[in-house]
């Protein structure tokens, strides 16, 4: 019997898990995929929003600036990359200046610090590569960028080290109220828990609807992106938004915390919650619209594209709290943007509810610190030399584009909640995320995974399930 | 820190030939750095034959061709380090490399030859929409799986791009028991050698769909199929004629890019057309004492040409080390009307002993056209060629007599002419 069972190992679920790991509670996380952060958490804009966007009065507005303020300390404790680069909302039409001012006021109402309006001259001085069309901008110095999956690994590994159990490839199929709490059925087995927390992302409506008569309905809303080579990664320094107009919300251009350039997203409602395909029209559309913001779109430097799905509900706000007709079932549902930014506070909010219900003791041995994988490229030559002497695997470069060594890959596999797939290695180390997109390192990473996990090479997958890379030996079918 | 007269980065056919040439010209203190566990470069995975017809006058497989040079390197006692990746290079010729046994290695060289080869363009470079599932590989990655590891990346394929690697892999996969549905090529002509189209596709009845492209990729975990469509004259897909091909694997052979990340760190100037360095007749780049040859300079279709070019670079590097290279009055060589690029980009006439080969590629297929070389406005060469295709590198010889006769000329140009 668990005290708390969390459905979903996205940033919401793992943030809650980490907060709960401060207490003497038996907590587990069930995740249908093979790894952490395989839902929306792996595919979004990765912006730590300042907080001017949300309508005052909503939960989003209440949590955003607060969440933002926690990133500095959190990124140090959990050793993930975060940079407060600041963001700009561009205004392209003098007639929209009122609207820009309203945004500033809204931000101040939401508790965002340091907002100011920049005129064209100040703007161009700050970002010389912006297009001539921009007439003014709202500047939010507290805006930041983060690697969302790296953050989720940090949260999850820390939660795990503090006692939270994780069960992967466990898809929750049914939830029944029982005397002591809930019985949760997955494709792998049955779990009992006093409380259940629903952090199932785009599927959180389905989980809610298993136990409650107040039905939720999530319509996945697709957002497509293009990622650009590091060669153009500093084309802009700030995150560049466009002031929403009658024509739409606009798309952003931003550096990523790892040094690439990111452009997107559009917004298209779709039916299939597992449909992560990109479309020609979508990619064309974001590139065209983003061109308004910058002088020249470096289209030659695109290295990848991807899709993320927003968990859009009718409420148009986060749904956080105990379900009234299913006591002990807590929703953290409909967590769309700025869900990543708010996740640390959502963790605390939900923890407070649990503490209220179960009155647990705080652990004495809770350790808030997690050490990430030492990145070879970020070290000086002396530290590199020491690292290689201690462990020669750090002298073997596996990914040529990002200079990722075998030592880092071994660490990714053998650390708590380690990588089991090619994508798992990629998200933990960046091997394969550079300009050749794994053309060079795929065979090597596959060999290392097979060797370290002691599985045949034909069993190594890209991201679990049937996503195998090799189908057999040569001439088998002749 | 170690010091060497000459360091060669990359131990593929280019690096090996350059090293052999330099040693033959009397340089003793030289070193080859190679990141793989074996010398030979990409040839190690090219187990088909068709190598060496020009250099050795016989047909060798890739590994056999490489072995000839590896043996020469060993006979000549040229020093090399494998499993050693160069990670940094400065314009002052300071090299940083890393390996398991040496840790961080810093080397000061007096001259450097860049011979890092090329890499394949990935899916992202084309921005093909659709699923991001398993089963999409570059042809070279698939070649490594099959030829080096004996493992099949798929059994039912579509190949996008008709570059030589794609063509070779169409045959290889067929021989290993897979089914190749089609090779799909965006352009109205193949980017590969004619002999490869005949020997790898025609002989196995694999359709080559010219002026077609992949428009969508379908699959959840593993690839389930691709949509292909013909393209119009602007290379935009005609979606009304889209066709679905079920398959478990898509191989991409959509172009090679010289691997010049290190060159950029050393401020080597690159050509926007070839992606390789802009060099003079000795293959010296804009950075004093840094030379380049092989696929890192421009993508070659035949290894024999790589070898020839690398001899030139190796010899010129020795001249440089001996203070015998003359750099004055250099003339720019330009590719014009119909010619896409030409290597070298500059000529110092006083370094030319007898003659000099210019290597170039054309932009389109030209049948019965003339290849002309102009010294300013004066046409010195005018040869009819039966066929010139973008997939086959062309060469033309200019002699020291021609250079002498036009000693005041300011530019040399290669032009493809109708008559
Ligand atoms: C296009 C886009 C851009 C965004 N940009 C930003 C931004 O810049 N800044 C920001 O702060 N936020 C942004 N967001 C929002 C942010 O990404 C999300 O709020 C956040 O990632 C949601 O995390 P989650 O854990 O709730 O959901 P998810 O990451 O989707 O996690 C849910 C998990 O539950 C699992 N699961 C589902 N069903 C089951 C089941 N039955 N059994 C077991 N497991 C199950 C899933 O596999 C998944 O791993 C963006 C979102 C999108 C779509
Ligand atoms: C699939 C394929 C099929 C081919 N078929 C034919 C054919 O049938 N006939 C024919 O004549 N030619 C063929 N070729 C062409 C010929 O093989 C190439 O032109 C030739 O191998 C290029 O030689 P290279 O030395 O420039 O590059 P490579 O062979 O690529 O060698 C470059 C070397 O540099 C090393 N290197 C790169 N960066 C670093 C670094 N930072 N540190 C250390 N080492 C580094 C690499 O590991 C590699 O070993 C084919 C090529 C390919 C790819």
């Amino acid at each position: 019997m668990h005290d708390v069972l969390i459905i979903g190992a996205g940033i919401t679920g793992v943030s809650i898990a980490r907060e709960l790991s401060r207490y003497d509670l038996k907590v587990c996380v069930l995740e249908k995929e093979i790894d952490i952060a395989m839902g929306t958490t792996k595919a979004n804009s990765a912006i730590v929003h300042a907080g001017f966007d949300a309508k005052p009065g909503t939960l989003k507005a209440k949590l955003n600036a607060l969440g933002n303020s926690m990133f500095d300390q959190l990124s140090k404790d959990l050793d993930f990359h975060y940079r407060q680069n600041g963001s700009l909302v561009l205004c392209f039409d003098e007639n929209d200046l009122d609207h820009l001012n309203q945004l500033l006021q809204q931000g101040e109402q939401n508790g965002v610090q340091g907002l100011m309006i920049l005129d064209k001259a100040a703007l161009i001085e700050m970002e010389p590569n912006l297009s001539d069309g921009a007439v003014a901008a709202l500047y939010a110095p507290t805006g930041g960028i983060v690697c969302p999956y790296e953050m989720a690994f940090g949260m999850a590994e820390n939660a795990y080290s503090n006692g939270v159990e994780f069960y992967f490839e466990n898809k929750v199929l049914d939830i029944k109220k029982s005397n002591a709490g809930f019985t949760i059925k997955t494709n792998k087995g049955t779990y009992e828990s006093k409380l259940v927390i629903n952090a199932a992302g785009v599927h959180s409506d389905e989980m809610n609807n298993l136990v409650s008569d107040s039905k939720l309905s999530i319509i996945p809303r697709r957002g497509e992106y293009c990622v650009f080579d590091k060669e153009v990664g500093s084309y802009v320094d700030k995150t560049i938004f466009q002031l929403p107009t009658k024509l739409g919300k606009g798309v952003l251009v931003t550096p990523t915390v790892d040094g690439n350039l990111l452009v997107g997203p559009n917004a298209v409602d779709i039916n299939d919650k597992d449909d992560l395909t990109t479309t020609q029209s979508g990619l064309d559309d974001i590139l065209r619209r983003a061109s308004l913001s910058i002088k020249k779109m470096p289209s030659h430097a695109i290295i990848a594209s991807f899709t993320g799905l927003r968990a859009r509900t009718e409420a148009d706000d986060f749904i956080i709290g105990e379900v009234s007709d299913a006591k002990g079932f807590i929703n953290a549902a409909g967590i769309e943007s700025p869900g990543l930014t708010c996740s640390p506070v959502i963790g605390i909010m939900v923890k407070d509810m649990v503490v209220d219900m179960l009155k647990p003791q705080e652990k004495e041995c809770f350790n808030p610190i997690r050490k990430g994988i030492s990145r070879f490229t970020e070290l000086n030559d002396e530290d590199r030399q020491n690292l290689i002497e201690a462990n020669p695997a750090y002298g073997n470069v596996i990914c040529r584009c990002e200079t990722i060594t075998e030592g880092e890959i071994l660490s990714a596999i053998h650390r708590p909640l380690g990588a089991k797939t090619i994508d798992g290695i990629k998200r933990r180390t960046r091997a394969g995320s550079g300009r050749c997109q794994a053309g060079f390192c795929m065979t090597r990473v596959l060999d290392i995974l097979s060797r370290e996990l002691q599985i045949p090479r034909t069993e190594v997958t890209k991201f679990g399930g049937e996503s195998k890379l090799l189908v057999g030996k040569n001439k088998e079918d002749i | 820190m170690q010091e060497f007269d000459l360091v060669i980065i990359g131990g593929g056919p280019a690096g090996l030939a350059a090293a052999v040439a330099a040693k033959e010209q009397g340089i003793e203190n030289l070193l080859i750095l190679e990141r793989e566990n074996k010398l030979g470069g990409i040839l190690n995975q090219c187990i088909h034959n068709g190598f060496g017809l020009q250099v050795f006058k016989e047909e060798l497989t890739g590994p056999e061709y490489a072995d000839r040079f590896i043996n020469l390197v060993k006979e000549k006692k040229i020093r090399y380090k494998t499993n050693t990746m160069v990670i940094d290079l400065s314009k002052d010729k300071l090299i940083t490399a890393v390996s398991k046994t040496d840790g961080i290695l810093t080397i000061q060289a007096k001259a450097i030859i860049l011979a890092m080869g090329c890499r394949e363009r990935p899916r992202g470079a084309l921005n093909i929409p659709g699923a991001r599932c398993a089963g999409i590989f570059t042809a070279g990655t698939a070649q490594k799986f099959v030829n080096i590891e004996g493992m099949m990346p798929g059994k039912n394929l579509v190949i996008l791009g008709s570059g030589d690697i794609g063509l070779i892999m169409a045959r290889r996969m067929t021989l290993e028991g897979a089914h190749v549905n089609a090779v799909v090529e965006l352009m109205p002509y193949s980017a590969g050698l004619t002999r490869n189209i005949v020997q790898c596709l025609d002989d196995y009845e694999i359709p080559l769909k010219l002026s077609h492209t992949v428009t969508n990729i379908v699959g959840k975990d593993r690839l389930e199929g691709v949509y292909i469509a013909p393209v119009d004259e602007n290379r935009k897909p005609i979606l009304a004629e889209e066709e679905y091909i079920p398959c478990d694997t898509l191989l991409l052979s959509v172009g090679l890019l010289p691997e010049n990340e290190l060159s950029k760190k050393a401020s080597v100037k690159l050509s926007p057309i070839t992606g390789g360095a802009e060099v003079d007749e000795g293959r010296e780049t804009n950075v004093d004492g840094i030379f380049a040859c092989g696929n890192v300079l421009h993508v070659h279709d035949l290894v024999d040409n790589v070898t020839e070019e690398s001899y030139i670079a190796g010899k010129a590097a020795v001249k440089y080390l001996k203070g015998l290279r003359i750099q004055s009055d250099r003339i720019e060589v330009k590719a014009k009307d119909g010619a896409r690029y030409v290597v070298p980009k500059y000529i110092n006439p006083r370094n030319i002993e007898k003659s000099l080969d210019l290597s170039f590629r054309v932009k389109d297929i030209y049948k019965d056209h003339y290849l002309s070389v102009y010294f300013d406005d004066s046409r010195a060469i005018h040869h009819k060629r039966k066929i010139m295709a973008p997939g086959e590198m062309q060469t033309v010889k200019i002699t020291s007599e021609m250079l002498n006769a036009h000693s005041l000329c300011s530019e040399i140009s290669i032009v493809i002419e109708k008559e």
Side-chain angles (χ1 to χ4, degrees):
Chain A
M1 177 67 129
H2 285 90
D3 294 311
V4 186
L5 181 147
I6 300 168
I7 307 171
I11 194 65
T12 308
V14 297
S15 299
I16 296 169
R18 175 172 185 261
E19 282 306 319
L20 292 177
S21 73
R22 297 172 187 272
Y23 291 83
D24 226 338
L25 289 169
K26 193 168 156 59
V27 181
C28 74
V29 179
L30 299 188
E31 169 56 54
K32 71 177 163 73
E33 302 296 332
I34 195 169
D35 205 346
I36 296 144
M38 285 184 58
T40 300
T41 299
K42 78 165 192 284
N44 53 64
S45 307
I47 309 302
V48 180
H49 287 289
F52 49 76
D53 225 9
K55 291 275 156 296
T58 61
L59 255 181
K60 288 182 184 174
K62 224 171 96 189
L63 305 185
N64 191 332
L66 196 57
N68 176 299
S69 71
M70 293 172 69
F71 271 73
D72 191 38
Q73 187 60 44
L74 210 50
S75 63
K76 290 183 181 122
D77 287 351
L78 299 178
D79 197 12
F80 61 82
H81 292 77
Y82 160 66
R83 179 159 81 90
Q84 198 164 61
N85 64 325
S87 44
L88 291 168
V89 184
L90 303 188
C91 171
F92 296 96
D93 185 344
E94 303 276 352
N95 298 325
D96 286 335
L97 283 173
D98 275 355
H99 194 164
L100 201 65
N101 269 306
Q102 282 162 20
L103 205 56
L104 179 136
Q105 281 158 22
Q106 176 167 296
E108 287 177 342
Q109 232 179 315
N110 291 348
V112 182
Q113 307 279 315
L115 291 174
M116 60 182 107
I117 303 280
L118 303 181
D119 63 14
K120 181 152 187 162
L123 189 56
I124 296 302
E125 177 160 353
M126 187 179 266
E127 283 289 357
N129 288 328
L130 292 185
S131 85
D132 284 338
V135 295
L138 173 65
Y139 173 47
T142 57
I145 46 183
V146 69
C147 173
Y149 34 90
E150 193 193 9
M151 175 180 175
F153 291 131
M155 289 276 191
E157 288 173 22
N158 188 239
Y160 177 84
S161 304
N162 284 302
V164 174
E165 301 158 31
F166 281 79
Y167 301 102
F168 293 100
E169 296 179 287
N170 255 284
K171 181 174 182 173
V172 174
L173 302 173
D174 199 13
I175 307 173
K176 286 261 158 22
K177 190 90 189 99
S178 67
N179 289 339
F182 296 90
T183 304
I184 300 95
K185 221 180 108 218
T186 76
N187 57 327
K188 287 258 176 81
T190 305
Y191 298 80
E192 303 278 337
S193 182
K194 289 182 193 153
L195 306 181
V196 171
I197 294 166
N198 171 16
V202 283
H203 296 281
S204 53
D205 56 342
E206 298 154 40
M207 298 298 107
N208 172 83
N209 298 349
L210 289 171
V211 298
S212 171
D213 285 331
S214 358
K215 301 295 180 198
L216 295 178
S217 160
I218 287 177
I219 297 158
R221 182 171 286 185
R222 168 192 284 152
E224 291 164 89
Y225 294 88
C226 288
V227 187
F228 293 70
D229 194 299
K230 284 183 172 175
E231 161 196 333
V232 296
S234 43
Y235 194 72
V236 294
D237 176 62
K238 313 265 173 287
T239 299
I240 313 297
F241 298 100
Q242 299 170 338
L243 186 65
T245 63
K246 278 156 266 145
L247 296 174
K249 198 160 171 283
V251 294
L252 62 80
V253 178
T254 184
T256 69
V257 80
D258 291 306
N260 297 86
L261 191 74
L262 184 70
V263 166
N266 53 352
V268 179
D269 288 345
I270 59 172
N271 302 319
D272 181 354
K273 289 177 178 173
D274 298 312
D275 180 2
L276 292 178
T277 56
T278 51
T279 63
Q280 191 70 56
S281 55
L283 298 176
D284 290 347
D285 180 47
I286 55 168
L287 291 174
R288 186 179 49 78
R289 287 200 283 150
S291 303
L292 291 177
S293 296
I294 51 178
K295 281 216 166 72
K296 192 173 173 298
M297 178 60 62
S299 301
H300 68 279
I302 295 174
I303 59 172
S305 59
F306 65 84
T307 285
L309 296 180
R310 302 172 182 85
R312 190 99 191 141
T313 62
E314 259 165 39
D316 196 13
D317 198 4
F318 302 152
I319 299 168
I320 302 174
E322 191 176 32
V323 173
S324 55
D325 57 349
K327 292 279 171 233
F329 186 95
I330 301 170
N331 271 327
I335 309 295
E336 53 172 347
S337 193
L340 177 65
T341 313
C342 297
S343 59
V345 210
I346 296 177
I348 295 175
M349 254 178 97
V350 173
K351 178 264 295 179
D352 286 343
M353 295 175 197
V354 171
V355 168
D356 220 33
M357 293 179 206
L358 299 180
K359 311 256 171 345
Q361 289 284 310
E362 267 192 72
K363 273 185 205 158
E364 269 167 27
C365 56
F366 173 77
N367 176 6
I369 305 299
R370 168 262 187 185
K371 181 82 193 79
I373 299 170
S374 307
R375 284 199 192 175
F376 184 82
T377 46
E378 291 173 4
L379 303 176
N380 62 32
D381 280 349
E382 197 184 320
D383 290 341
R384 289 173 175 175
Q385 182 66 35
N386 291 337
L387 199 58
I388 298 170
E389 276 167 23
N391 180 356
Y394 282 94
N396 183 14
V397 177
I398 299 291
C399 164
R400 66 178 166 193
C401 302
E402 301 281 313
T403 320
I404 309 298
T405 64
E406 186 181 355
E408 291 156 272
I409 291 172
L410 293 176
S411 169
I413 296 172
H414 294 301
R415 62 190 14 256
L417 303 174
K420 289 163 277 193
T421 63
I422 300 270
D423 280 359
I425 298 279
K426 169 170 149 182
R427 295 210 184 94
R428 282 172 181 81
T429 66
R430 289 188 59 75
S433 45
R435 62 179 62 120
C436 92
Q437 291 284 299
F440 181 75
C441 65
M442 185 198 286
T443 55
R444 295 152 204 257
V445 171
L446 189 141
D447 284 348
I448 297 174
L449 274 169
S450 153
R451 182 184 79 210
E452 296 298 316
L453 301 176
Q454 300 183 346
I455 54 174
R457 283 181 292 177
T458 44
E459 293 300 312
V460 176
T461 64
K462 183 161 156 55
F463 49 76
E466 290 303 310
S467 65
K468 293 174 184 154
L469 291 152
L470 296 174
V471 300
K473 294 211 168 73
N474 289 1
K475 297 205 164 57
E476 251 176 13
D477 288 353
I478 299 181
Chain B
M1 188 170 71
Q2 306 186 24
E3 289 181 18
F4 281 89
D5 286 342
L6 175 62
V7 174
I8 293 158
I9 306 177
L16 298 176
V20 167
K23 178 87 184 198
E24 280 172 353
Q25 302 289 313
I27 293 295
E28 294 295 325
N29 187 22
L30 82 169
L31 175 70
I32 305 172
L33 296 173
E34 168 57 52
R35 66 182 170 203
E36 299 287 338
N37 59 12
K38 192 167 182 280
L39 296 175
I42 197 76
L43 290 182
N44 287 324
Q45 67 183 60
C46 299
I47 61 172
H48 55 280
N49 53 19
F51 298 83
L53 286 168
Q54 288 171 33
V55 170
F56 296 112
K57 308 280 180 272
E58 55 180 311
E59 224 184 343
L60 305 172
T61 66
E64 283 167 356
Y65 189 97
D67 277 343
R68 299 249 169 139
F69 279 93
I70 296 172
N71 291 339
L72 273 177
V73 162
K74 289 185 178 158
E75 268 167 36
K76 292 183 184 296
K77 304 209 165 37
I78 296 172
R79 291 180 61 186
Y80 63 88
K81 281 180 183 290
T82 50
N83 291 314
T84 305
M85 172 102 149
V86 178
I87 56 173
D88 203 7
L89 177 65
S90 77
K91 61 177 190 306
D92 307 319
K93 299 183 276 287
L94 187 66
I95 297 167
T96 310
V98 56
S99 83
K100 279 185 167 181
T101 43
D102 294 305
I104 300 291
L105 204 63
T106 46
I107 300 172
Q108 179 65 59
K110 294 199 181 112
I112 288 176
I113 297 178
L114 306 171
M116 289 92 74
C118 62
R119 55 172 60 184
E120 297 175 278
R121 286 194 345 155
R123 169 183 178 184
L126 307 181
N127 223 3
I128 310 170
R132 296 171 46 73
C133 50
I136 304 159
F137 305 88
T138 61
T141 302
Q143 187 178 44
K144 189 166 176 202
F145 275 131
V146 176
N147 291 357
I148 307 266
E149 311 212 359
M151 302 297 291
M152 295 287 276
K155 297 201 169 165
N156 187 19
L157 290 83
V158 168
I159 298 177
L160 174 61
S162 64
D164 287 313
I165 318 180
L167 300 175
I168 299 270
M169 282 310 289
R171 175 176 66 186
R172 171 58 47 202
M173 294 305 287
T174 308
L175 292 173
E176 299 299 344
H179 174 68
V180 179
N181 292 281
V183 174
V184 179
E185 168 61 54
L186 180 68
M187 304 300 285
Y189 49 80
S190 161
L193 295 172
T194 312
R195 76 162 194 228
N196 281 339
I197 295 175
V198 176
Q199 294 171 7
C200 300
L201 301 188
D202 298 353
D203 289 359
Y204 297 87
E205 293 176 1
I206 299 168
L208 171 61
K209 292 193 173 269
L210 297 172
S211 297
H212 275 67
T213 192
V214 170
T215 48
N216 203 353
I217 295 175
V218 182
K220 276 254 138 74
D221 286 358
R222 176 84 195 194
L223 186 67
E224 288 159 24
V226 298
Y227 283 91
I228 69 167
V231 296
D232 62 22
E233 55 280 5
N234 300 318
R235 293 187 227 151
K236 289 269 168 261
I238 306 167
L239 292 177
E241 293 172 41
E242 221 173 30
E243 168 192 357
Y244 182 69
I245 307 182
C247 59
D248 64 11
T249 306
L250 174 66
L251 296 190
L252 303 175
S253 174
V254 291
L256 300 167
L257 296 172
E259 179 146 344
N260 273 304
E261 346 301 295
L262 286 172
S263 324
K264 283 186 206 158
K265 291 187 183 177
S267 313
V268 169
K269 187 155 186 268
L270 302 180
S271 147
I273 301 172
T274 59
E278 295 184 343
V279 293
D280 66 16
E281 75 293 330
R283 306 303 188 260
E284 187 171 357
T285 67
N286 64 308
V287 182
D288 190 52
I290 298 189
F291 296 76
C293 57
N295 280 353
V296 79
L297 180 56
H298 59 128
V299 175
H300 297 68
D301 18 81
L302 290 177
V303 71
D304 305 70
N305 298 334
V306 170
T307 301
E308 300 291 352
E309 177 172 86
S310 306
Y311 283 151
I312 296 173
K315 286 183 195 161
V318 174
K319 275 197 169 175
Y320 168 85
L321 286 168
K322 293 183 176 168
L324 299 175
R325 286 213 82 211
I326 307 159
Q327 272 169 321
S328 64
D329 312 324
R330 65 175 199 183
I331 307 172
E332 183 168 351
V333 190
K334 289 188 172 163
K336 290 188 180 162
D337 306 337
R340 194 159 72 86
Y341 73 79
V342 52
V343 173
K345 187 175 164 67
Y346 300 103
I347 298 176
N348 300 292
R350 286 157 68 196
N351 286 330
I352 309 297
E353 280 160 21
K354 274 207 221 97
S355 65
L356 160 80
D357 282 340
L358 299 177
S359 304
F360 65 96
R361 281 185 197 270
V362 290
K363 287 183 179 158
D364 205 338
I365 292 190
Y366 295 98
K367 287 190 181 142
D368 296 323
H369 271 60
Y370 287 85
L371 153 66
S372 306
V373 179
Y374 285 81
F375 288 74
D376 290 337
D377 292 332
S378 137
R379 188 161 73 187
I381 294 179
H382 190 55
H383 290 160
K384 190 167 184 170
R385 294 209 173 168
K386 248 194 141 114
I387 183 152
M388 289 182 278
E392 317 216 0
M393 198 162 75
Q394 313 285 320
T395 56
V396 58
K397 201 180 276 306
I398 56 172
T399 61
S400 44
E401 288 83 57
M402 291 177 195
L403 285 163
N404 289 337
H406 304 91
S407 57
L408 294 174
C409 104
S410 64
E411 87 176 35
I412 299 174
S413 42
I414 290 196
V415 187
I416 310 302
E417 292 176 315
K418 239 186 169 144
E419 44 201 38

